[in-house]
Amino acid sequence: MEKSERRPITLAASLAGLRLIGAGAVLGLALAVPASPAQADPPRPPATTQDTADETPEI
């Protein structure tokens, strides 16, 4: 059985690999986290003064 030769890895190649792994982790987390409730809810129409006046009970 022959031993496989190990080549030394340069620091630049090592850092590039770590950046690639980090970018993949960030992308994976971004896809795994559900959307915030503010994005999920449809926008509500603004309330008008007539709508609020109809809801207040008259004395």
Side-chain angles (χ1 to χ4, degrees), residues 2-34:
E2 295 181 16
K3 285 187 178 179
S4 62
E5 294 183 15
R6 289 190 169 200
R7 296 185 310 169
I9 299 175
T10 63
L11 181 61
S14 175
L15 290 177
L18 287 176
R19 285 191 197 117
L20 187 61
I21 292 171
V26 169
L27 180 62
L29 285 175
L31 293 175
V33 174

Side-chain angles (χ1 to χ4, degrees), residues 32-52:
V33 174
S36 67
Q39 294 175 347
D41 290 339
R44 295 182 182 173
T48 62
T49 54
Q50 292 176 352
D51 293 339
T52 55

